[in-house]
Amino acid sequence: MAAAFDPTDAGFLRDPYPTYARLRRDAPIVWHPAWSAWIVTRHRDVSALLRDRRLGRGPDPRQPARPAATAFDAIQAGSLLEIEPPDHTRVKQAVHDVFTPRHVRALRGRIEALVDGLLRGLAARPEGSFDLLRDFAEPIPVAVIADLLGVPEADRHRLLPWSKAIIGRFEPERTAAMEEAAEAAAAEFADYVRALVAVKRRRPADDLLSRMAAVRDADPDRLTESEIVANAILFLNAGHEAVVNVAGNGMRALLEHPEQARVLRDDPSAWPTAIEEMMRFDTPLQFFERTVREDLEYGGHRWPVGTKLCLYYASANRDPEVFPDPDRFDVRRDPNPHLAFGLGLHYCIGAPLARLELGIALPALLRRFPDLRPGDAPLRYQPRHVFRYLTAFPVRHGTPAGLDWSP
């Protein structure tokens, strides 16, 4: 059965969903020897195991803590994505205190102005074409997260290359070159954040780094310096990847299903459910790895401490036990209990911000370009597995006329 799952196969990388369907049907929990991990593909299993506190992301609790061996290890060690209670509880509370719903809501005007400026620039191009990812989706979350953190305009061009290099380290099939690039980016990014925090201490502002530094200085037991660095990097990486890749994968689905586009044209109030469906239908973060921290019996399996599980969000989000007609893209799908942002302790802290950005940007895009359509070049996904996203997304507008998106 292990041969039915080959995440390096070119056909699988183009379209993994038939493989997920076979696994859900024939072997919903299956051992993958190449990764020394169990592959879990059904919604009920993924959701149950995400909630199970016997699983975690931290080090093996039987082993003494060891100092980080590399720059990448160091930035992971304090990240909310990687730590478990009680450290996770402590850090998450400190972050919540400085990254509140009020701060997210206050960003609406900034996001609307940013989106409007981008769309004006794209509309002024005489060629009537642009890359939806590079020219529209990418600048939005980078600018928003940079504003939140307090990164100066002059430095923002450095953030995206660092983020892209760092996420390559999470790929199980990564190359030595990908590991070297991730280590170099982690070291440079961490050095930059440390230097910027020092500036914020001298000249505090109304931004996330200033507020985290203030929390640290008022009570060093609440937040360490390394946790400030690790979570600043996490906010950029997670915030960027979620928004850009939902926009790319989701807009591809929408433009390839014109009957669904007509639903949104006729009823713009359906946009919130449409964005949730974009997250479900082609989930950018395909799986999340967890490690057994207490001996565990589940579904007829016995897993000792240290066992690795790969919980497949993307497969769970196409599970017919939960989603009727799961391979159909349906912008009115409701309920839609997708797992694109995870579940339980490690539910994505930036989910409200991602929803806000997508809910502003995508309707505005199609109001500005009512006849938007894919360009002539075939769309290809990056040959990676943990993060599923397009290499580019050329689009066109103008004649011939397409859908009318005006209210």
Side-chain angles (χ1 to χ4, degrees), residues 1 14 36 61 63 100 144 201 229 235 259 294 325 337:
M1 172 50 64
R14 282 194 302 273
S36 298
Q63 303 298 325
T100 65
V144 171
R201 282 196 166 98
V229 172
F235 294 152
E259 79 288 353
E294 297 178 24
D325 199 4

Side-chain angles (χ1 to χ4, degrees), residues 1 36 47 97 106 133 142 201 213 217 220 229 242 251 256 277 295 307 309 331 333-334 352:
M1 172 50 64
S36 298
S47 58
D97 286 350
L133 298 179
V142 171
R201 282 196 166 98
D217 295 344
V229 172
M251 285 302 302
E256 291 181 350
E277 180 70 344
D295 291 348
T307 301
L309 308 178
V331 298
R333 186 180 296 273
D334 186 32

Side-chain angles (χ1 to χ4, degrees), residues 145-391:
I145 294 293
D147 280 352
L148 270 175
L149 291 172
V151 176
E153 291 273 1
D155 296 336
R156 294 181 181 186
H157 67 281
R158 307 169 69 182
L159 301 180
L160 192 55
W162 282 334
S163 176
K164 287 294 186 186
I166 286 170
I167 66 169
R169 182 65 174 73
F170 293 102
E171 293 289 336
E173 308 291 343
R174 60 187 177 270
T175 64
M178 290 166 68
E179 290 192 352
E180 291 171 7
E183 287 290 347
E188 292 174 13
F189 203 167
D191 286 345
Y192 175 78
V193 173
R194 290 188 196 99
L196 187 55
V197 169
V199 172
K200 300 296 181 182
R201 282 196 166 98
R202 295 193 301 270
R203 297 190 297 275
D206 186 20
D207 57 54
L208 193 54
L209 282 178
S210 295
R211 293 193 291 271
M212 286 198 291
V215 168
R216 160 70 179 164
D217 295 344
D219 184 357
D221 291 336
R222 290 194 67 198
L223 202 60
T224 69
E225 203 79 13
S226 62
E227 287 163 350
I228 294 175
V229 172
N231 287 291
I233 293 173
L234 172 65
F235 294 152
L236 174 76
N237 292 351
H240 161 264
E241 294 301 327
V243 173
V244 174
N245 298 328
V246 169
N249 295 3
M251 285 302 302
R252 178 183 188 179
L254 185 64
L255 296 181
E256 291 181 350
H257 293 82
E259 79 288 353
Q260 297 300 303
R262 282 191 287 272
V263 171
L264 294 175
R265 176 200 62 188
D266 296 339
D267 181 12
S269 70
W271 269 106
T273 56
I275 288 169
E276 299 302 314
E277 180 70 344
M278 290 177 178
M279 296 175 191
R280 180 201 73 86
F281 185 75
D282 197 3
T283 306
L285 177 59
Q286 295 275 289
F287 73 86
F288 189 63
E289 187 177 292
R290 302 283 277 166
T291 302
V292 175
R293 296 172 63 81
E294 297 178 24
D295 291 348
L296 172 63
E297 290 190 21
Y298 181 86
H301 300 276
R302 292 185 176 183
W303 293 322
V305 171
T307 301
K308 289 198 304 182
L309 308 178
C310 295
L311 307 181
Y312 269 77
Y313 296 172
S315 174
N317 288 343
R318 295 281 191 106
D319 190 335
E321 290 184 358
V322 177
F323 304 98
D325 199 4
D327 296 325
R328 178 172 174 267
F329 182 68
D330 178 4
V331 298
R332 290 194 184 276
R333 186 180 296 273
D334 186 32
N336 191 344
H338 67 76
L339 302 175
F341 286 126
L343 203 63
L345 185 70
H346 289 284
Y347 183 79
C348 178
I349 193 173
L353 178 57
R355 287 186 166 105
L356 178 64
E357 292 175 270
L358 291 162
I360 293 170
L362 299 187
L365 172 68
L366 292 179
R367 285 195 302 269
R368 173 70 65 165
F369 302 116
D371 55 357
L372 193 73
R373 58 197 183 278
D376 295 329
L379 297 179
R380 294 186 174 88
Y381 287 87
Q382 288 281 0
R384 297 184 179 184
H385 179 42
V386 177
F387 295 97
R388 174 173 164 79
Y389 59 99
L390 294 163
T391 58

